[in-house]
Amino acid sequence: MRYLKSLFTATLVGAAALLASEASAQVSERTLRWAQQNSLEHPQGQGAKKFAELVEQKSGGKIKVRIFPSGQLGGDLQNVSALQGGTLDLMVLNAGLLVGIVKEFAVFDLPFQFNTPQEADAVADGSVGRKLFDKLPEKGLVGLGYFELGFRNVTNSKRPITKLEDFQGLKLRVLQSPLFIDVFNTLGANTIAMPFPEVYTAMEQKVIDGHENPFTVIADSKLYEVQKYVSTTRHIYNPQSVIMSKKSWDKLSDEERKIIQSSLDEAKTYQRQVSREAEAKAIALLKEKGMQINEVSPKEIARMREKIKPVLDKYSKEVGEALVAEVNAEIAKTRGTN
């Protein structure tokens, strides 16, 4: 009996070793290229580094991820094209920037819909986020998960924005997204869509008066050197899509895909935590560097919401009212548990 038990144990150990050996054999030596707009120190970069560490660890050092931060490989839309062409493997970008490929991604950028990051998490990690990613493979992309950038606020070098009328005539850089252009034109600004790597120089040369981004991006990009005012509009919350070239994905074995996906799942949780902790530090740094930060009153936020209602209605119809209703239901469910 003891002999049979020992034999059984040895068989199990041998089988496990064989499975591990087979899994290892399915992992090839390769280096994946990752592009992003923010620095390695930014929460976006910290999430990328965590992902790279996990991939290397889980693959036994066979798969490495080389990160190209700070727009080294061009703007977001340029990087998306490179992913589709297979000359770039991975990237992270604002989910709404994918609207030119899948129009429904605009649902994440509908203004003033999220009150907390947790509400956005519920939408991104739930059925809505999955449905949007399911539309990407036919466009040459694979969605892996969502990081966060945070709530966007408006900066400029002219004046504090304390009321709706203060937008009038300001030259504001916005994302290369029709929704962003329509929102800020409707608020009274003169919008200029441009890739983020061009923003600092455009501010320095007075081509633009300001822009809008989360506090962490403003601080990380040292925009306090060329901007004076930050107004807490918190108008749009940005989940960020981590996407992969389908051409690159198709070259991976099942085991390699598991490594990539599980690593991103872990890195996503880490990145969101880092991002949320970093916001308060970014605000403190901006104040220390001389930026004036002003809260926008709930009354003025309500006026802004009312002003852009036609834009909201337009894009709600474009992305599909059923999808918008699904987002609202998820948000309501989250609010009900808080």
Side-chain angles (χ1 to χ4, degrees):
M1 187 69 177
R2 187 177 299 168
Y3 168 76
L4 289 174
K5 188 175 180 182
S6 298
L7 182 62
F8 179 68
T9 302
T11 302
L12 281 180
V13 170
L18 182 61
L19 285 172
S21 174
E22 287 177 353
S24 177
Q26 292 179 35
V27 179
S28 303
E29 296 263 357
R30 63 177 80 239
T31 298
L32 302 174
R33 290 153 51 92
W34 167 300
Q36 62 180 51
Q37 296 303 302
N38 291 299
S39 74
L40 283 176
E41 290 70 38
H42 183 271
Q44 187 188 65
Q46 292 189 52
K49 285 193 289 186
K50 173 61 75 173
F51 171 72
E53 289 166 11
L54 288 166
V55 167
E56 188 164 356
Q57 174 192 321
K58 290 172 185 273
S59 68
K62 287 187 174 181
I63 304 177
K64 292 181 170 56
V65 178
R66 185 180 175 191
I67 304 165
F68 294 85
S70 306
Q72 287 178 17
L73 300 184
D76 280 320
L77 299 185
Q78 192 177 344
N79 290 161
V80 171
S81 294
L83 247 66
Q84 291 173 307
T87 57
L88 181 65
D89 303 298
L90 293 147
M91 71 176 292
V92 57
L93 79 167
N94 289 334
L97 279 172
L98 293 170
V99 69
I101 297 169
V102 174
K103 66 179 183 179
E104 288 86 355
F105 270 98
V107 78
F108 282 127
D109 286 341
L110 296 179
F112 302 111
Q113 69 178 333
F114 298 119
N115 289 339
T116 67
Q118 288 72 28
E119 291 174 7
D121 289 350
V123 173
D125 294 341
S127 60
V128 173
R130 286 193 299 274
K131 281 180 182 176
L132 297 178
F133 274 169
D134 286 346
K135 295 177 181 291
L136 289 179
E138 65 187 55
K139 307 295 184 180
L141 304 167
V142 174
L144 298 177
Y146 296 90
F147 281 5
E148 79 146 30
L149 197 63
F151 283 101
R152 302 179 78 90
N153 301 287
V154 182
T155 77
N156 79 97
S157 57
K158 296 286 188 183
R159 55 181 174 265
I161 295 171
T162 60
K163 57 186 185 300
L164 173 61
E165 290 75 14
D166 291 330
F167 280 104
Q168 198 64 40
L170 282 180
K171 292 181 290 183
L172 289 184
R173 175 268 179 179
V174 295
L175 285 173
Q176 294 165 286
S177 159
L179 186 151
F180 277 78
I181 294 167
D182 285 351
V183 164
F184 284 95
N185 280 344
T186 302
L187 289 173
N190 297 323
T191 60
I192 301 172
M194 68 171 65
F196 188 67
E198 299 173 17
V199 168
Y200 185 100
T201 302
M203 288 174 173
E204 196 173 34
Q205 296 174 351
K206 308 298 182 185
V207 174
I208 56 175
D209 299 319
H211 89 314
E212 42 80 58
N213 243 318
F215 285 117
T216 53
V217 176
I218 299 164
D220 183 67
S221 305
K222 299 184 178 179
L223 297 185
Y224 49 78
E225 296 175 348
V226 285
Q227 297 279 272
K228 181 68 177 174
Y229 306 101
V230 188
S231 302
T232 56
T233 48
R234 293 171 68 85
H235 49 278
I236 289 172
Y237 178 88
N238 281 146
Q240 291 201 304
S241 298
V242 178
I243 56 177
M244 187 168 189
S245 164
K246 188 172 184 298
K247 289 186 177 180
S248 300
W249 179 259
D250 289 346
K251 292 174 185 174
L252 302 178
S253 67
D254 287 345
E255 185 63 26
E256 289 169 334
R257 289 177 186 176
K258 284 178 190 172
I259 289 169
I260 296 296
Q261 187 62 66
S262 65
S263 297
L264 196 281
D265 290 343
E266 288 183 46
K268 171 183 73 178
T269 302
Y270 170 82
Q271 191 274 341
R272 290 175 182 174
Q273 180 183 343
V274 167
S275 179
R276 287 156 200 179
E277 290 172 355
E279 185 178 73
K281 294 176 184 173
I283 292 171
L285 176 66
L286 296 179
K287 288 179 178 176
E288 180 189 316
K289 296 294 184 179
M291 288 195 85
Q292 294 181 22
I293 301 176
N294 66 283
E295 294 285 335
V296 182
S297 72
K299 178 183 175 183
E300 287 301 321
I301 293 293
R303 289 185 68 211
M304 293 173 194
R305 293 182 73 159
E306 184 61 30
K307 182 73 174 173
I308 63 168
K309 190 173 183 303
V311 178
L312 189 58
D313 291 344
K314 171 187 172 183
Y315 284 94
S316 293
K317 285 176 184 170
E318 283 193 11
V319 303
E321 292 178 351
L323 185 63
V324 174
E326 197 172 339
V327 169
N328 291 335
E330 197 65 64
I331 291 172
K333 196 191 308 178
T334 304
R335 288 174 185 171
T337 60
N338 289 342

